[in-house]
């Protein structure tokens, strides 16, 4: 079964995500790279730290891949999320989706990052000069049927 | 029965450990598990928005607990 | 002025497009990679060939960057398009847009590829076994004011 | 006056060259230029959807020509 869903300790590799989804019958690859920003709500951020419930996070990312296959018609999805300390400017998440046509690839990529932020069990801690704070997400969408 | 409850992110930091073991009754739900966890870990008493999973799938507070599941409780997610 | 708008003879480099738009104040990079597909309307394609009115194409790509700056609030745009022969599976176009937040980056990337296909003076020729055909686009949107 | 007209893609292949020079009157428009080009290049006579540019900016068929512009004519674009 195609698709790459991985929690990674250490730097993320965009090329491996693209390789995992590429193929000669696909004309479009959309990617999303989330990087650690140097500020949040006007406050300088020195680095980010991510923590995950690793096996559940990978399972939920795979579930998002299944949603994309049924909604957008392509099984060619890669979702990589880094855990541990992430320096400003470095990627914390990489998503790649390949499809026959551009609209499906772009819409599926957008769906993947929205769903990842909503339901994948990963948490972010922002480190400031001399302090740190866990970021808590909004109440999630309906998680169970 | 005794169940082991995995904690993540701020909950883990508050408890000072990755998991806690609590005693619950035979017909307990995840909500009962959470009450027992908070009784054991005072730092979690102010937490108002826990999410639950059973065997790595989200579950509601009224989900019954058999004691054989992998149970986890954690705050709203913030990855990305 | 930021931005990278280039017609390229030879392979496209995704990393250079991402480098051109990256920065510590941006949390999101969206990219679109258009690759040569092995079929079109059910017909096997052996390779593609692109031809451009190079200086005008680069000027119109820069104009699209200006549209993105005013609509989506970010000047961090890279658009690279290859000309000449492109083998199946290889990229013919690469777009990268960085923005503070994910929605702007993804929407801007989508805008860029739609506009590129609509107005940038580049033409595609499909090569089949023993024949070839120029692809003609639809009537373009209003091009002049 | 004599103006040079750049051709691209299928138009260039039909003409067998990258540009043609045509004679036009003083008050000519791009539409007049196109008529002269088609008179010079029979293979272009069936072309029904030309696009025009003046100095690398799209222009309409009624755009006047001074003779000092870089003029181009080409089919609807198909990049991407």
């Amino acid at each position: 079964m195609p698709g790459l869903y991985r929690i990674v300790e250490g730097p993320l590799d965009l090329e491996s995500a693209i390789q995992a989804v590429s193929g000669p019958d696909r004309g479009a690859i959309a990617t999303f790279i989330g990087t650690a920003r140097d500020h949040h709500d006007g406050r300088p951020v020195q680095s980010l730290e991510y923590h995950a419930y690793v096996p559940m996070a990978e399972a939920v990312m795979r579930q998002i891949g299944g949603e994309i296959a049924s909604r957008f018609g392509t099984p060619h999805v890669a979702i990589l999320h880094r855990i541990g300390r992430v320096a400003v400017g470095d990627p914390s998440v990489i998503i790649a989706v390949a499809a026959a046509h551009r609209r499906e690839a772009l819409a599926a990529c957008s769906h993947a990052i929205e769903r990842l932020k909503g339901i994948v069990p990963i948490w972010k801690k922002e480190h400031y000069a001399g302090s740190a704070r866990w970021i808590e997400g909004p109440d999630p969408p309906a998680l169970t049927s | 029965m005794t169940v082991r409850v995995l904690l993540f992110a701020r909950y883990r930091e508050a408890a000072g450990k990755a998991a806690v073991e609590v005693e619950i009754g035979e017909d307990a739900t995840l909500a009962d598990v959470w009450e027992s966890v908070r009784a054991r870990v005072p730092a979690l008493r102010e937490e108002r928005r826990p999410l639950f999973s059973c065997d790595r799938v989200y579950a509601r507070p009224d989900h019954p607990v058999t004691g054989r599941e992998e149970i986890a409780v954690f705050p709203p997610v913030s990855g990305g």
Side-chain angles (χ1 to χ4, degrees), chain A, chain B:
Chain A
M1 169 162 159
L4 179 66
Y5 306 96
R6 200 69 52 84
I7 297 291
V8 179
E9 294 188 71
L12 298 181
D13 179 27
L14 176 62
E15 204 48 52
S16 72
I18 290 175
Q19 282 297 327
V21 303
S22 297
D25 58 338
R26 286 143 243 170
I29 304 167
T31 79
F32 178 81
I33 306 165
T35 56
R37 246 183 334 144
D38 61 6
H39 61 283
H40 182 207
D41 289 343
R43 189 169 180 187
V45 173
Q46 296 202 327
S47 70
L48 298 180
E49 183 183 348
Y50 287 92
H51 178 57
Y53 181 5
V54 175
M56 180 171 167
E58 291 182 342
V60 175
M61 294 193 306
R62 185 172 296 274
Q63 171 199 326
I64 293 170
E67 292 173 5
I68 287 170
S70 63
R71 278 203 198 197
F72 302 102
T74 178
H76 305 292
V77 179
I79 306 178
L80 306 177
H81 202 297
R82 186 169 177 179
I83 55 173
R85 214 49 105 87
V86 180
V88 163
D90 280 358
S92 55
V93 57
I94 287 179
I95 294 167
V97 182
H101 301 288
R102 67 189 182 282
R103 290 194 182 91
E104 290 84 341
L106 284 160
C109 192
S110 177
H111 178 84
I113 182 63
E114 294 301 326
R115 290 291 276 165
L116 181 145
K117 292 182 82 85
I119 65 171
V120 178
I122 303 173
W123 300 269
K124 170 162 55 186
K125 192 175 192 175
E126 289 183 350
H127 288 266
Y128 317 106
S131 68
R133 182 172 67 110
W134 283 104
I135 305 302
E136 196 153 303
D139 282 319
L143 292 166
T144 53
S145 52
Chain B
M1 57 189 166
T2 303
V3 295
R4 189 160 173 270
V5 181
L6 303 178
L7 302 173
F8 291 97
R10 202 183 61 242
Y11 292 7
R12 179 177 292 192
E13 272 192 3
K17 47 193 167 186
V20 291
E21 295 198 343
V22 294
E23 281 298 317
I24 53 168
E26 284 308 311
D27 296 325
T29 63
L30 287 170
D32 299 321
V33 170
W34 176 235
E35 283 315 303
S36 302
V37 168
R38 295 209 291 180
R40 282 280 310 280
V41 184
L44 291 177
R45 281 190 194 143
E46 297 305 308
E47 297 297 339
R48 292 281 175 270
R49 303 199 299 155
L51 299 178
F52 304 101
S53 68
C54 267
D55 291 332
R56 305 170 182 178
V57 173
Y58 283 104
R60 296 198 232 208
D62 62 1
H63 190 85
V65 173
T66 69
R68 292 182 300 275
E69 306 93 341
E70 178 176 298
I71 296 173
V73 57
F74 43 76
V77 306
S78 56

